[in-house]
Amino acid sequence: MGASAVSTDDSGASVTTADIYPEADLLRLQNAVRVLLSGVGEDISREGLRDTPKRVAKAWLDVSSGYRQDLHSVLGGAVFHEPIVSEGSGSMVIVRDIEFASTSEADLLPFYGRCHVAYVPSNGVVLGLSKLARVAKLFARRLQSQQRLTSQILVGLQQELAPKGAAIVMEARHLAHGPEADFFMSSASSGCFQDNTSSCMQEFLCMLHLHGIPVPSTALPRVPRDSSSLYSPVLSPCSSAGIHTNGADTDDQAKHKSNVRFMSSMGSRRIFARNGASGTVASVHQFQLEDTATTMEADDDAMQSTSQDMEAAVHVILQEIGEDPERPELQGTPQRYVQLLLASTCGAKSQPQPDFHHQLIHALPRASLQASSSSDVDMAVPRSSNARFSEVQEWHVLFSSQCEHHMLPFHGAAHIAVVHSSQSQRLSLKQVKSLVLSFSHRLQIQERLTNQLADAVQVVSRAAGCIVTCEAAHMCMVARGVEKHASSTITLASRGIAATDADLRGKLLVQLSQRRTQS
């Protein structure tokens, strides 16, 4: 069966997806994914997407495997009695930096980070250290909020070990907040750790290098460890902007969702339309609607129907992974996920037509087509002693995109350097950001994104050459078992003189690397 995956159980025996998940259920998952792909306007028969429904179905099974596992069976016989521990007092066990990845129940986007676990054994009962990581990952492989995940790990330890006390501190980044998202902190504690001023909790925080920083019991942005100003929960607007634990929306959340809906509908209509006799091509924000009001209404009805079909497909996915789509915390989740998916793939609607050069120029912000002032340009540009070009412009632009193989985000930064000649056009930061946004907001693979950006920058700038490197973390790696959150994938594409002159290309890469490190 095409969608089967192989793993091993505790005895070492091979277990395939087919053994634990009937083929008919897998087919329902795949059909739901096809509805989502069609809904964002993709051709599901094209080469890069032919196996995507199978891969996405397997990905959903991977990230929801915690529903099909039992805590007691995961721990197995790894609970031990150590007399020397029971004879002592105040022995603390800490396992820090347990990497995890989970899926937000509010929007079905990943959140990931590190979990730190501490407990004080009771009667000498200790747990095999690797099992603490397994407990964290068991609960992480379900639809979660960060605070509930933190609490469930704590409750699991309490039930299996009955320690004198336990504490969990979690630091996580939520992809719903974009590539610039801060880490959010949450904590849960019991017994001798329950008072944040207790010696056990203070010693635990000291070992985490968080001593003196208030650790919230709800998910709040983490204060930098070298910060001199301590974070006060009383001043936290981010508790409403970040972790969703119920179906109610604050004013900010409602405004955000309204903006997402607007972005989605705009994305589905983004076209390049010729404007009158001038023959110029309108930007994606200056398109003309030549349709009648009746046609517009029909288009809106079609969009609404498509969204409803996509939301129904998300309901099927929730059911097939073992969730109850009707539980209160999931109310509105299908709608939010569909809105975010449409918004994150709207760039495909603005893909230029055959007159690539002409349309790209007019697709960019028009105010910056003339020579840019220094305030428009990301500072970059020492004059080169090489007589073959006049100057180098460079930019470092954050982006987030959707992997077309697993429909999971990848995010990072595009590092771009342009080698100008006397005939080339200097670009503004705003123009470059527009290009990155257009090509990243679609189902992508990083290699294609890098080359598309290199082509677009070269065409628009008419430069002697350019080089683009994209550095990104892929949630399909993080969420599906690799779980090396600090790892990243780097891709490179060069055009013009940067492609033909290895010495120049090397110097540009060094300059990009140095400035990236400085920033």
Side-chain angles (χ1 to χ4, degrees):
M1 183 178 62
S4 64
V6 179
S7 59
T8 57
D9 60 18
D10 290 338
S11 66
S14 295
V15 178
T16 66
T17 304
D19 294 328
I20 60 175
Y21 214 76
E23 184 171 0
D25 294 343
L26 280 169
L27 289 176
R28 282 193 291 271
L29 263 177
Q30 293 175 34
N31 288 335
V33 175
R34 291 187 180 96
V35 172
L36 295 177
L37 290 172
S38 298
V40 300
E42 279 287 357
D43 175 10
I44 60 176
S45 65
R46 72 173 174 88
E47 182 179 357
L49 294 179
R50 288 172 191 166
D51 291 328
T52 291
K54 295 179 182 179
R55 286 188 290 258
V56 175
K58 289 167 60 177
W60 272 112
L61 295 179
D62 288 340
V63 302
S64 64
S65 61
Y67 291 116
R68 296 173 289 281
Q69 292 179 297
D70 174 74
L71 177 60
H72 188 70
S73 63
V74 167
L75 296 181
V79 178
F80 308 99
H81 180 265
E82 293 291 337
I84 192 171
V85 176
S86 62
E87 293 170 2
S89 61
S91 299
M92 186 186 301
V93 179
I94 299 174
V95 177
R96 57 175 295 170
D97 296 325
I98 299 171
E99 294 188 338
F100 76 92
S102 191
T103 304
S104 169
E105 65 186 11
D107 44 46
L108 303 185
L109 291 179
F111 66 95
Y112 67 95
R114 298 174 298 175
C115 177
H116 316 292
V117 180
Y119 72 95
V120 174
S122 176
N123 300 318
V125 177
V126 297
L127 182 66
L129 297 180
S130 67
K131 298 297 184 180
L132 288 172
R134 290 199 180 189
V135 171
K137 293 177 181 181
L138 164 68
F139 291 113
R141 291 185 176 274
R142 302 175 180 181
L143 301 189
Q144 289 283 14
S145 68
Q146 182 175 336
Q147 186 57 47
R148 188 170 70 248
L149 173 58
T150 309
S151 300
Q152 285 182 346
I153 297 171
L154 176 71
V155 171
L157 289 179
Q158 283 290 143
Q159 291 176 344
E160 296 297 324
L161 294 181
K164 294 179 182 178
I168 314 294
V169 173
M170 185 172 289
E171 303 173 87
R173 171 174 286 168
H174 293 250
L175 267 294
H177 296 282
E180 297 180 88
D182 290 328
F183 276 88
F184 284 69
M185 285 188 67
S186 59
S187 69
S189 56
S190 65
C192 58
F193 290 88
Q194 197 156 5
D195 184 353
N196 278 349
T197 63
S198 68
S199 60
C200 285
M201 179 58 85
Q202 291 303 308
E203 290 168 11
F204 178 35
L205 296 179
C206 183
M207 296 298 290
L208 300 180
H209 307 296
L210 293 174
H211 182 67
I213 296 179
V215 177
S217 58
T218 55
L220 302 172
R222 177 173 65 82
V223 177
R225 291 177 178 172
D226 59 352
S227 175
S228 58
S229 59
L230 301 183
Y231 184 83
S232 171
V234 178
L235 302 177
S236 69
C238 46
S239 57
S240 62
I243 311 304
H244 307 281
T245 55
N246 54 58
D249 295 329
T250 64
D251 291 340
D252 287 342
Q253 289 170 327
K255 181 178 179 181
H256 170 70
K257 291 176 184 177
S258 175
N259 288 338
V260 170
R261 283 193 290 273
F262 175 73
M263 289 170 61
S264 303
S265 61
M266 286 287 290
S268 65
R269 293 182 181 176
R270 285 183 176 180
I271 56 175
F272 285 88
R274 299 220 171 248
N275 288 335
S278 66
T280 60
V281 181
S283 76
V284 293
H285 297 296
Q286 296 171 326
F287 60 83
Q288 290 185 333
L289 291 177
E290 300 175 354
D291 304 318
T292 63
T294 302
T295 305
M296 291 177 62
E297 291 176 2
D299 187 48
D300 287 338
D301 290 341
M303 288 171 52
Q304 183 175 3
S305 176
T306 298
S307 295
Q308 290 173 348
D309 291 343
M310 295 173 72
E311 291 169 21
V314 177
H315 268 273
V316 171
I317 292 173
L318 294 176
Q319 290 174 329
E320 294 304 323
I321 66 174
E323 258 294 355
D324 175 13
E326 302 304 320
R327 73 176 172 93
E329 293 84 358
L330 291 176
Q331 295 306 298
T333 294
Q335 181 185 23
R336 286 190 289 272
Y337 176 74
V338 168
Q339 291 168 353
L340 289 167
L341 183 61
L342 289 171
S344 66
T345 55
C346 64
K349 309 295 189 304
S350 60
Q351 186 168 3
Q353 298 303 313
D355 189 3
F356 186 57
H357 182 192
H358 184 65
Q359 298 205 23
L360 267 178
I361 290 179
H362 289 281
L364 293 169
R366 307 175 76 90
S368 53
L369 287 177
Q370 285 75 32
S372 304
S373 66
S374 59
S375 62
D376 292 326
V377 182
D378 198 13
M379 295 305 292
V381 200
R383 295 276 176 175
S384 172
S385 59
N386 192 323
R388 289 177 296 173
F389 58 90
S390 58
E391 65 177 352
V392 175
Q393 270 188 297
E394 67 178 68
W395 306 269
H396 305 276
V397 180
L398 295 177
F399 72 88
S400 181
S401 190
Q402 290 275 334
C403 170
E404 72 175 29
H405 293 157
H406 299 96
M407 293 183 70
L408 286 169
F410 64 96
H411 65 97
H415 311 290
I416 302 168
V418 174
V419 181
H420 284 291
S421 67
S422 59
Q423 305 299 318
S424 60
Q425 171 70 58
R426 296 181 72 222
L427 302 179
S428 70
L429 177 60
K430 187 176 182 181
Q431 287 179 298
V432 175
K433 283 184 174 181
S434 294
L435 282 177
V436 174
L437 188 70
S438 175
F439 287 104
S440 62
H441 275 203
R442 59 185 72 183
L443 294 182
Q444 274 286 16
I445 61 172
Q446 185 174 329
E447 296 87 343
R448 183 197 304 141
L449 171 62
T450 308
N451 280 275
Q452 286 176 336
L453 288 176
D455 285 337
V457 169
Q458 181 71 9
V459 166
V460 173
S461 66
R462 306 183 187 90
C466 72
I467 188 167
V468 176
T469 65
C470 289
E471 185 173 0
H474 288 250
M475 292 303 100
C476 56
M477 296 174 62
V478 171
R480 301 187 63 241
V482 178
E483 295 181 353
K484 293 297 182 183
H485 305 158
S487 66
S488 61
T489 300
I490 301 176
T491 49
L492 181 150
S494 53
R495 299 293 184 266
I497 192 173
T500 58
D501 188 330
D503 182 59
L504 172 62
R505 185 168 61 251
K507 292 178 180 179
L508 291 173
L509 287 173
V510 169
Q511 181 168 313
L512 283 175
S513 177
Q514 290 175 340
R515 294 190 183 278
R516 181 172 72 246
T517 302
Q518 292 171 2
S519 61

